[in-house]
Amino acid sequence: MWKILLIFCLLYWVLVGMAKKRNSTYPLSFGFLAGWAVAFFCFAFLPTAFCGDGYLFAIGAIGIGIFCGILSERFPFRHLWEGMGFTAAALFFLYLQRGESLSFWQILFTAWLGGYGLYLASGVILPEQGEKREAFFSALGGLVGFLLGTFFRFMA
């Protein structure tokens, strides 16, 4: 699993650099990686937040993460914020794979980071503004990325 996360993060950062250099959006590629991120957050990352006793606090932390995602959308260089969130989630997920039980604060951080990343990934797949063609390719890439991410999560 760590190899897939490493490849995902490297691809995302290369794509962010290319988009910034060429001043392009690459909707299909960003949609694909965001769909993969949605599958990661839904089936691998966020379920660890609900394994302890503080699951009600985890729901609140997810809400705070979504609110932070809404705030970070307002800043320039949106893909930079997304990349930092996805990379932090991947690194923290690898940290969680040690097999130890989670403390209350680790559960809250996992839930917050999961809500933040899931909101931003969903925003890439279904953008509010832009051309219909870009939105179509972003959604198509998101669907393919979600299906492949789900396949690799349960079959790998």
Side-chain angles (χ1 to χ4, degrees):
M1 183 74 175
W2 69 271
K3 292 177 186 177
I4 294 172
L5 288 175
L6 177 68
I7 291 170
F8 169 79
C9 289
L10 288 176
L11 279 174
Y12 203 87
W13 284 110
V14 165
L15 198 60
V16 166
M18 287 175 50
K20 186 162 173 58
K21 184 178 180 183
R22 296 186 183 178
N23 200 14
S24 181
T25 57
Y26 300 110
L28 187 66
S29 303
F30 273 119
F32 173 77
L33 291 175
W36 196 301
V38 167
F40 166 71
F41 283 116
C42 288
F43 300 122
F45 193 76
L46 276 175
T48 60
F50 295 108
C51 64
D53 291 334
Y55 63 89
L56 291 176
F57 291 106
I59 292 171
I62 289 172
I64 293 171
I66 291 170
F67 180 72
C68 291
I70 291 170
L71 291 179
S72 68
E73 274 189 332
R74 311 258 187 258
F75 291 110
F77 309 115
R78 177 179 177 198
H79 293 304
L80 182 68
W81 290 101
E82 294 162 1
M84 286 191 299
F86 297 157
T87 304
L91 291 174
F92 193 66
F93 182 74
L94 293 176
Y95 169 76
L96 294 177
Q97 294 304 306
R98 297 181 313 167
E100 298 176 5
S101 62
L102 299 178
S103 72
F104 177 74
W105 298 108
Q106 288 173 329
I107 290 173
L108 287 184
F109 184 70
T110 302
W112 174 81
L113 195 56
Y116 177 77
L118 190 59
Y119 178 81
L120 290 179
S122 300
V124 171
I125 295 172
L126 300 169
E128 291 180 16
Q129 53 196 354
E131 298 179 12
K132 291 193 183 291
R133 183 174 184 263
E134 285 186 6
F136 172 75
F137 281 118
S138 182
L140 180 66
L143 177 66
V144 172
F146 179 78
L147 292 175
L148 278 176
T150 304
F151 174 78
F152 279 113
R153 172 65 183 128
F154 291 110
M155 298 300 173

